[in-house]
Amino acid sequence: MADTVRFFATPFKRGMHYGFFGGKAYMLTPSYLAKYGQISLSRQLTYMKVLLDLEKRYGREIPDCEFVISTTDTPNQNPVLPESDEQQAKGRTLLEQQQAQDERRQQPRSPRAAKAAARSHHALTHPFGKPGVPNGTFPVLRACKSAPFPDILIPSHDFYLLRYDTTVLRAAGNLTAAGELAPWDRRNPAAYGRYDLRVARSRHARDRTTYRYGTGDMRICSGTGETRCFVRRHLWGITEKANRSLVDIGHVPAASDHHLTDLHTARHLALALVREELLGGGGRGTRPSHGAAEHASGGKGGGSIYNGGGDSGGTSGQAAAASAPGVSVLGSVDGDAATAEEAHQAYLLGVKHSAGWAEGEDEVAGAGSYAPGEVERLRTAPHLPAYLRAAAQHKLLVHVDGAGCSSALERLLPMGGVVLREESGYFGYYHQAMQPRQHYLPWWRRDPEDLYAEAAWASQHPDAAQAIAAAGAAFARGMLGSQGRACYWLAVLKRLAAAFTYQPKLSDFPRALPLARYRDEQVLRMRPGPGQRPLFGQPFEP
C-alpha cells in the first residue's frame, strides 16, 4: 500500500489517500493542494463529502481500511496483460511474479545495474510505460476502467455534483406520473444525441479492448501508441449528412468545464422558472402555470447530454423561445446579463414574500403573485433540466463515451427511451450489472454503422424496444439511487479491508487529519485562480 500512495496519491495522478478508522473518515496523507488542477480538486471535494456521508450513515459498520481515490477520466496504471506461454508454463501466479521481482530488487547490484533497474522500475509505474509486473496490482479506486486494469470501481462524481436523485430520478418520475413526458407511441423515432463532438477518447497504448475502428476499419486513433481516438468526430462525420428522421446527432460545444453541473443546480432551475415567465410574455407579475411551476426547467435552455453545451431541439418551449429575439440555447438572453439578473431578483422577491420576511414586500412588483410557501416549495421541488426533456421526446437515445466513461448513460436510462450504448471497452461500477438487449441496445462493437442497424431493429420491433426502455428505466430507479450507491460503497470498503494482508492502524499515519477538518481548513480555503470558481458552495447531493 505504501507504493500505491507514493505512486498514485499525487497531483500528477490526481489521487488522494483516504481511510476509515473507528468509523471515522480521515485524510491520511495530506497533499500539496496548490499543484492539483481546479477540476481535480472539485472532484476530490465531492468524494470527501461522499466519505463523510458514509461516516454519518454507517459509522462503525465501515471497517478500518485505507485507499487512494483517483479522479482521472481513464486508468493511469498499466494494464495487466495475459501471461505469456512461458510464464504459464512456469505456473507462476501474478503474486508470485511480484514477490520474485521484489526479491531481485533487494539483491546487491553494481551502480550500473542499479541505474538500469531504476529505469525499469520507472517503466512499470509510469502511466504510459512498458506494462509489466508488479504494475497493475495497486488498489486504486476510480470511476472508470477497462477490462485489463485492476482498479476498483466507485460511483462517478457526477452522481453527486448533478444531484442525480433529485434532478433526474425524481424529476423524471414526477413528469411520468403527471403525464407530461410523451408516451411511447408519440415519441420521435429518430436516434437522438447531442455531444461535444470535439472530445477525443484516451486509451492506453497496450490496451486493445479500447481501440476504436471507424467505418470500413478506418484507423481513427493517432498519437504515440495511438492513445487518442477521435470517436465522436468520426461519428459526426458519418451522421452529418444522414437522414434526420433516422439519426439525429448534433454537435453542441461545452460552454465551460462546469456547464453540465450548472444545468443541474437549484439556482439555474429557479432561473429557468422565472425566464419562462419573462420570455413567455407573462412578465414578472404573472403567476406561472401549474405545469411550468412543477417542472421549471423544461421550456428554454438545453445542453449536451454528454459534455455540457446547449441544444433546445424538441423541447416544449422551443416555439416560445424562438418568439423572444436573442434567446440562446442556454436559456438566457444573449448579451443581456441584466435580464438574467432581473429574473433572479424576481425569484428572490417571491421567496422573500412567501417566507414572510417583510410586510412591505407585497407592494413589490411580482411578489404578490405567489401564495405563501409556494415559491419555496417550487425551489426545492425536483426539476428536470431542459436538455433531458428534449431527450425524453425520442424513442432512441444514443450514448457515446467521452475521454473515458461518460456519465450520460445513467441520465439517459430513466428518460423512457431505448438507450443505444457504445461498446467502448470502458465501464463504470454498475455497467456490468446490466444486460445487453435487456436494459439497452449495444452498438459500435467494431463498426459505427451498427447505429443504423440497431435503429432499424428498434423500429421493426416496437414492442421489444419498449420493453427494453422500461427495463432500463426500472434498473436506474432501483439500483442507481442514493441508497443503492451508499450500499455499494459499504460493500467495496468491506471487501477491500478483507483483502488486506495487514491491519491498518491510524497511528501509522502521523500526518492524518479528520476528513471534515481537512476539508474545511484546507480544501475550502483554497483561493481560486484567475477564471476559476471557488470550491466553497459547489452543488452536492449524497
Side-chain angles (χ1 to χ4, degrees), residues 505-523:
K505 298 178 181 178
L506 185 58
S507 59
D508 295 336
F509 307 98
R511 299 174 55 207
L513 292 172
L515 189 54
R517 176 183 169 188
Y518 180 79
R519 178 200 60 184
D520 296 341
E521 295 183 357
Q522 299 194 34
V523 179

Side-chain angles (χ1 to χ4, degrees), residues 100 175 212 248 271 276 307 322 367 382 385-386 420 457 459 465 472 480 495 499 532 535:
L175 283 171
R212 300 273 81 186
D248 183 9
L271 285 174
E276 190 160 330
N307 275 336
L420 285 79
W457 181 91
S459 64
L480 304 184
R495 292 188 64 178
Q532 295 181 344
L535 296 172

Side-chain angles (χ1 to χ4, degrees), residues 19-338:
F20 278 94
F21 294 94
K24 300 292 184 181
Y26 289 87
M27 168 59 66
L28 299 183
T29 308
S31 304
Y32 184 46
L33 297 178
K35 290 190 175 182
Y36 285 84
Q38 202 252 3
I39 296 298
S40 178
L41 269 183
S42 173
R43 295 176 178 181
Q44 288 288 355
L45 175 60
T46 300
Y47 282 122
M48 291 179 194
K49 294 177 179 179
V50 172
L51 298 180
L52 291 172
D53 177 68
L54 294 175
E55 173 188 301
K56 182 178 179 181
R57 285 175 184 257
Y58 299 115
R60 291 187 175 275
E61 286 187 56
I62 303 175
D64 292 353
C65 58
E66 57 172 320
F67 48 89
V68 171
I69 295 180
S70 176
T71 61
T72 53
D73 291 326
T74 54
N76 53 12
Q77 299 189 53
N78 284 315
V80 178
L81 301 178
E83 295 182 351
S84 66
D85 295 338
E86 181 182 356
Q87 290 172 332
Q88 292 178 357
K90 292 180 179 179
R92 295 192 303 173
T93 65
L94 187 65
L95 181 60
E96 291 171 342
Q97 295 175 49
Q98 179 176 345
Q99 293 172 345
Q101 193 165 35
D102 290 340
E103 293 174 359
R104 289 196 300 271
R105 191 180 299 120
Q106 295 171 3
Q107 294 175 357
R109 297 187 181 95
S110 66
R112 183 175 181 178
K115 187 175 182 179
R119 286 198 301 267
S120 176
H121 185 63
H122 174 75
L124 294 176
T125 57
H126 192 274
F128 299 108
K130 182 179 179 180
V133 178
N135 182 65
T137 61
F138 299 109
V140 179
L141 277 61
R142 68 173 71 253
C144 178
K145 74 169 189 174
S146 58
F149 291 89
D151 302 281
I152 301 168
L153 290 172
I154 56 175
S156 167
H157 55 275
D158 278 338
F159 277 106
Y160 309 97
L161 282 174
L162 303 184
R163 305 187 302 133
Y164 180 75
D165 284 49
T166 296
T167 64
V168 179
L169 292 182
R170 289 173 54 200
N174 286 1
L175 283 171
T176 302
E180 295 192 26
L181 287 185
W184 178 262
D185 56 351
R186 291 174 53 192
R187 293 192 176 206
N188 190 326
Y192 176 85
R194 290 294 183 269
Y195 330 88
D196 186 341
L197 296 169
R198 300 168 300 183
V199 175
R201 181 77 45 80
S202 297
R203 56 176 295 274
H204 193 282
R206 298 291 298 276
D207 180 8
R208 302 305 300 177
T209 65
T210 56
Y211 192 84
R212 300 273 81 186
Y213 288 98
T215 302
D217 287 345
M218 180 187 298
R219 303 182 78 88
I220 60 175
C221 298
S222 62
T224 304
E226 297 183 301
T227 57
R228 288 176 63 78
C229 300
F230 297 94
V231 174
R232 290 184 175 181
R233 184 178 298 178
H234 182 73
L235 178 63
W236 190 10
I238 64 176
T239 60
E240 189 175 17
K241 297 181 180 179
N243 187 341
R244 290 284 175 172
S245 64
L246 299 177
V247 177
D248 183 9
I249 304 294
H251 169 58
V252 183
S256 70
D257 291 333
H258 302 273
H259 181 65
L260 184 59
T261 303
D262 289 342
L263 295 176
H264 288 255
T265 59
R267 184 180 187 274
H268 181 91
L269 296 172
L271 285 174
L273 171 63
V274 185
R275 287 191 189 105
E276 190 160 330
E277 299 180 62
L278 291 173
L279 303 179
R284 286 176 59 179
T286 304
R287 182 174 177 173
S289 66
H290 178 71
E294 285 292 335
H295 311 291
S297 65
K300 326 295 172 285
S304 164
I305 298 174
Y306 309 98
N307 275 336
D311 186 270
S312 58
T315 59
S316 60
Q318 188 174 9
S323 66
V327 178
S328 76
V329 294
L330 301 183
S332 61
V333 177
D334 291 333
D336 189 1

Side-chain angles (χ1 to χ4, degrees), residues 339-360:
T339 302
E341 184 58 29
E342 181 184 11
H344 185 52
Q345 292 301 324
Y347 166 73
L348 292 179
L349 289 174
V351 172
K352 290 180 181 180
H353 173 67
S354 66
W357 288 358
E359 296 181 359

